[in-house]
Amino acid sequence: MKKVGIVMGSDSDLPVIQKAVNILRELDIEYEVHVYSAHRTPIEAREFALSAREMGFGVIIAAAGMAAHLAGAIAANTTLPVIGIPCRGPALDGLDALLSTVQMPSGIPVATVGINNGANSALLAAEILAVEDEVLAERLATRRASDTKAVLQKDEGIADRL
Ligand code: RP5
């Protein structure tokens, strides 16, 4: 199976990435994590993106806050699918990063998940890899069924809590 590449703009983004890593581990998907910034280490971020396909990655998750250009900068240098996670910052609650990540010009797509939504980034990465992997698709289906069951159990219990 192809690996998932994870890049974060700063180690301060780690709590968001931890949620993604937990799900990738649960699904038994190989991953590699780096701290590369579009602004502070633009050369390393570019080199990672340029070599990602030949390094065996199938999809890249890029998390950054503030003027969050990381996912776009990675996407500019690879045709692998790139998933952007806008991270919440101190000034604008993540709206700055959301707009910087999602508003890509035509030609360089970034699939953007919600602010700080590391979990969805991992699930989307897994779904992309599962297009060509029946075993992984089955693991995702099992996980989805378990989530459904958990919600239905809450439904059964909600009346007792009111
Ligand atoms: C972004 O700036 C990072 O992705 C992080 O979310 C934010 C703040 O970085 P630090 O100042 O905490 O390193 O580049």
Short mmCIF file of all heavy atoms in Angstrom, two decimals, residues 2-31:
data_model
loop_
_atom_site.label_atom_id
_atom_site.label_comp_id
_atom_site.label_asym_id
_atom_site.label_seq_id
_atom_site.Cartn_x
_atom_site.Cartn_y
_atom_site.Cartn_z
N LYS A 2 0.46 2.28 -0.69
CA LYS A 2 1.20 3.54 -0.68
C LYS A 2 1.17 4.16 0.71
O LYS A 2 0.23 3.94 1.48
CB LYS A 2 0.55 4.52 -1.67
CG LYS A 2 0.51 4.02 -3.09
CD LYS A 2 1.70 4.50 -3.85
CE LYS A 2 1.55 4.15 -5.32
NZ LYS A 2 2.85 4.15 -5.99
N LYS A 3 2.17 5.01 1.00
CA LYS A 3 2.24 5.68 2.31
C LYS A 3 1.50 7.02 2.26
O LYS A 3 1.31 7.60 1.19
CB LYS A 3 3.69 5.99 2.66
CG LYS A 3 4.59 4.80 2.79
CD LYS A 3 6.00 5.25 3.18
CE LYS A 3 6.75 5.92 2.04
NZ LYS A 3 8.11 6.33 2.35
N VAL A 4 1.16 7.52 3.45
CA VAL A 4 0.62 8.87 3.58
C VAL A 4 1.74 9.78 4.07
O VAL A 4 2.39 9.48 5.08
CB VAL A 4 -0.56 8.91 4.59
CG1 VAL A 4 -1.04 10.34 4.79
CG2 VAL A 4 -1.71 8.04 4.10
N GLY A 5 1.98 10.85 3.37
CA GLY A 5 2.95 11.86 3.81
C GLY A 5 2.23 12.92 4.61
O GLY A 5 1.18 13.41 4.18
N ILE A 6 2.76 13.25 5.77
CA ILE A 6 2.14 14.29 6.61
C ILE A 6 3.16 15.39 6.81
O ILE A 6 4.28 15.14 7.25
CB ILE A 6 1.71 13.73 7.98
CG1 ILE A 6 0.73 12.56 7.80
CG2 ILE A 6 1.10 14.82 8.83
CD1 ILE A 6 0.28 11.93 9.10
N VAL A 7 2.76 16.61 6.48
CA VAL A 7 3.64 17.76 6.67
C VAL A 7 2.90 18.79 7.51
O VAL A 7 1.74 19.09 7.24
CB VAL A 7 4.04 18.39 5.31
CG1 VAL A 7 5.07 19.48 5.52
CG2 VAL A 7 4.55 17.34 4.35
N MET A 8 3.57 19.32 8.52
CA MET A 8 2.97 20.40 9.31
C MET A 8 3.90 21.60 9.30
O MET A 8 5.13 21.44 9.26
CB MET A 8 2.65 19.94 10.73
CG MET A 8 3.83 19.56 11.57
SD MET A 8 3.34 18.75 13.11
CE MET A 8 3.90 17.10 12.78
N GLY A 9 3.30 22.78 9.34
CA GLY A 9 4.08 24.01 9.22
C GLY A 9 4.94 24.30 10.44
O GLY A 9 5.93 25.01 10.36
N SER A 10 4.52 23.73 11.59
CA SER A 10 5.24 23.97 12.84
C SER A 10 4.93 22.81 13.77
O SER A 10 3.85 22.20 13.66
CB SER A 10 4.77 25.28 13.47
OG SER A 10 5.19 25.37 14.82
N ASP A 11 5.84 22.54 14.72
CA ASP A 11 5.50 21.48 15.67
C ASP A 11 4.36 21.91 16.59
O ASP A 11 3.79 21.09 17.31
CB ASP A 11 6.73 20.99 16.45
CG ASP A 11 7.36 22.08 17.30
OD1 ASP A 11 6.95 23.25 17.19
OD2 ASP A 11 8.27 21.75 18.08
N SER A 12 4.00 23.20 16.56
CA SER A 12 2.83 23.64 17.34
C SER A 12 1.53 23.10 16.74
O SER A 12 0.47 23.18 17.36
CB SER A 12 2.80 25.17 17.47
OG SER A 12 2.61 25.78 16.21
N ASP A 13 1.61 22.56 15.51
CA ASP A 13 0.42 21.96 14.87
C ASP A 13 0.25 20.49 15.28
O ASP A 13 -0.69 19.82 14.82
CB ASP A 13 0.54 22.02 13.34
CG ASP A 13 0.65 23.45 12.83
OD1 ASP A 13 -0.06 24.32 13.35
OD2 ASP A 13 1.45 23.69 11.90
N LEU A 14 1.13 19.99 16.12
CA LEU A 14 1.13 18.57 16.45
C LEU A 14 -0.19 18.03 17.02
O LEU A 14 -0.61 16.92 16.64
CB LEU A 14 2.28 18.27 17.42
CG LEU A 14 2.70 16.81 17.56
CD1 LEU A 14 2.98 16.16 16.22
CD2 LEU A 14 3.92 16.71 18.46
N PRO A 15 -0.88 18.76 17.89
CA PRO A 15 -2.15 18.20 18.41
C PRO A 15 -3.16 17.89 17.29
O PRO A 15 -3.93 16.93 17.39
CB PRO A 15 -2.68 19.31 19.33
CG PRO A 15 -1.47 20.09 19.73
CD PRO A 15 -0.53 20.04 18.55
N VAL A 16 -3.13 18.68 16.24
CA VAL A 16 -4.05 18.45 15.11
C VAL A 16 -3.59 17.19 14.35
O VAL A 16 -4.41 16.32 13.99
CB VAL A 16 -4.07 19.68 14.17
CG1 VAL A 16 -4.88 19.39 12.92
CG2 VAL A 16 -4.63 20.88 14.92
N ILE A 17 -2.29 17.09 14.13
CA ILE A 17 -1.74 15.95 13.39
C ILE A 17 -1.89 14.66 14.18
O ILE A 17 -2.07 13.58 13.61
CB ILE A 17 -0.26 16.23 13.04
CG1 ILE A 17 -0.19 17.29 11.94
CG2 ILE A 17 0.47 14.98 12.63
CD1 ILE A 17 -0.96 16.94 10.69
N GLN A 18 -1.83 14.77 15.51
CA GLN A 18 -1.97 13.56 16.34
C GLN A 18 -3.29 12.84 16.04
O GLN A 18 -3.34 11.61 15.99
CB GLN A 18 -1.90 13.95 17.83
CG GLN A 18 -1.86 12.75 18.76
CD GLN A 18 -0.59 11.93 18.59
OE1 GLN A 18 0.51 12.45 18.74
NE2 GLN A 18 -0.73 10.64 18.27
N LYS A 19 -4.35 13.63 15.81
CA LYS A 19 -5.66 13.02 15.52
C LYS A 19 -5.61 12.24 14.21
O LYS A 19 -6.23 11.18 14.07
CB LYS A 19 -6.75 14.11 15.44
CG LYS A 19 -7.03 14.79 16.77
CD LYS A 19 -8.19 15.75 16.64
CE LYS A 19 -7.73 17.18 16.65
NZ LYS A 19 -8.76 18.17 16.37
N ALA A 20 -4.87 12.76 13.24
CA ALA A 20 -4.73 12.06 11.95
C ALA A 20 -3.90 10.79 12.13
O ALA A 20 -4.27 9.72 11.63
CB ALA A 20 -4.07 12.98 10.92
N VAL A 21 -2.81 10.91 12.86
CA VAL A 21 -1.92 9.76 13.07
C VAL A 21 -2.66 8.63 13.79
O VAL A 21 -2.50 7.46 13.43
CB VAL A 21 -0.67 10.22 13.85
CG1 VAL A 21 0.08 9.04 14.43
CG2 VAL A 21 0.25 11.03 12.94
N ASN A 22 -3.48 8.98 14.77
CA ASN A 22 -4.22 7.94 15.50
C ASN A 22 -5.08 7.11 14.55
O ASN A 22 -5.16 5.89 14.66
CB ASN A 22 -5.13 8.57 16.57
CG ASN A 22 -4.32 9.20 17.69
OD1 ASN A 22 -3.12 8.97 17.81
ND2 ASN A 22 -4.98 10.03 18.50
N ILE A 23 -5.72 7.77 13.61
CA ILE A 23 -6.60 7.05 12.68
C ILE A 23 -5.78 6.24 11.67
O ILE A 23 -6.13 5.10 11.35
CB ILE A 23 -7.57 8.04 11.99
CG1 ILE A 23 -8.60 8.48 13.04
CG2 ILE A 23 -8.24 7.42 10.77
CD1 ILE A 23 -9.61 9.46 12.56
N LEU A 24 -4.69 6.80 11.19
CA LEU A 24 -3.85 6.04 10.25
C LEU A 24 -3.31 4.78 10.92
O LEU A 24 -3.27 3.70 10.31
CB LEU A 24 -2.71 6.92 9.73
CG LEU A 24 -3.12 8.11 8.87
CD1 LEU A 24 -1.90 8.94 8.49
CD2 LEU A 24 -3.87 7.66 7.62
N ARG A 25 -2.94 4.90 12.20
CA ARG A 25 -2.46 3.71 12.94
C ARG A 25 -3.58 2.69 13.06
O ARG A 25 -3.36 1.49 12.85
CB ARG A 25 -2.00 4.12 14.33
CG ARG A 25 -0.62 4.73 14.33
CD ARG A 25 -0.11 4.86 15.76
NE ARG A 25 1.20 5.47 15.79
CZ ARG A 25 1.66 6.23 16.78
NH1 ARG A 25 0.90 6.47 17.83
NH2 ARG A 25 2.86 6.74 16.72
N GLU A 26 -4.75 3.18 13.43
CA GLU A 26 -5.90 2.28 13.60
C GLU A 26 -6.19 1.51 12.30
O GLU A 26 -6.55 0.34 12.33
CB GLU A 26 -7.10 3.16 14.00
CG GLU A 26 -8.40 2.46 14.22
CD GLU A 26 -9.53 3.49 14.30
OE1 GLU A 26 -9.35 4.57 14.89
OE2 GLU A 26 -10.61 3.19 13.75
N LEU A 27 -6.00 2.17 11.17
CA LEU A 27 -6.29 1.55 9.87
C LEU A 27 -5.07 0.81 9.29
O LEU A 27 -5.13 0.29 8.18
CB LEU A 27 -6.78 2.60 8.88
CG LEU A 27 -8.15 3.22 9.20
CD1 LEU A 27 -8.40 4.45 8.33
CD2 LEU A 27 -9.26 2.20 9.02
N ASP A 28 -3.97 0.81 10.06
CA ASP A 28 -2.75 0.13 9.65
C ASP A 28 -2.20 0.68 8.32
O ASP A 28 -1.83 -0.07 7.42
CB ASP A 28 -3.02 -1.38 9.54
CG ASP A 28 -1.76 -2.19 9.76
OD1 ASP A 28 -0.77 -1.64 10.26
OD2 ASP A 28 -1.76 -3.39 9.40
N ILE A 29 -2.16 1.99 8.24
CA ILE A 29 -1.62 2.67 7.05
C ILE A 29 -0.26 3.27 7.41
O ILE A 29 -0.13 3.96 8.42
CB ILE A 29 -2.58 3.79 6.58
CG1 ILE A 29 -3.91 3.20 6.15
CG2 ILE A 29 -1.95 4.61 5.44
CD1 ILE A 29 -4.97 4.24 5.84
N GLU A 30 0.71 3.02 6.57
CA GLU A 30 2.05 3.56 6.81
C GLU A 30 2.06 5.06 6.55
O GLU A 30 1.43 5.53 5.59
CB GLU A 30 3.03 2.85 5.86
CG GLU A 30 4.44 2.77 6.40
CD GLU A 30 5.38 2.10 5.40
OE1 GLU A 30 4.94 1.20 4.66
OE2 GLU A 30 6.55 2.52 5.35
N TYR A 31 2.80 5.79 7.39
CA TYR A 31 2.85 7.25 7.21
C TYR A 31 4.25 7.76 7.59
O TYR A 31 5.03 7.05 8.23
CB TYR A 31 1.79 7.94 8.09
CG TYR A 31 1.97 7.69 9.55
CD1 TYR A 31 2.77 8.52 10.34
CD2 TYR A 31 1.38 6.58 10.16
CE1 TYR A 31 2.96 8.26 11.68
CE2 TYR A 31 1.58 6.32 11.51
CZ TYR A 31 2.36 7.16 12.26
OH TYR A 31 2.58 6.90 13.59
#
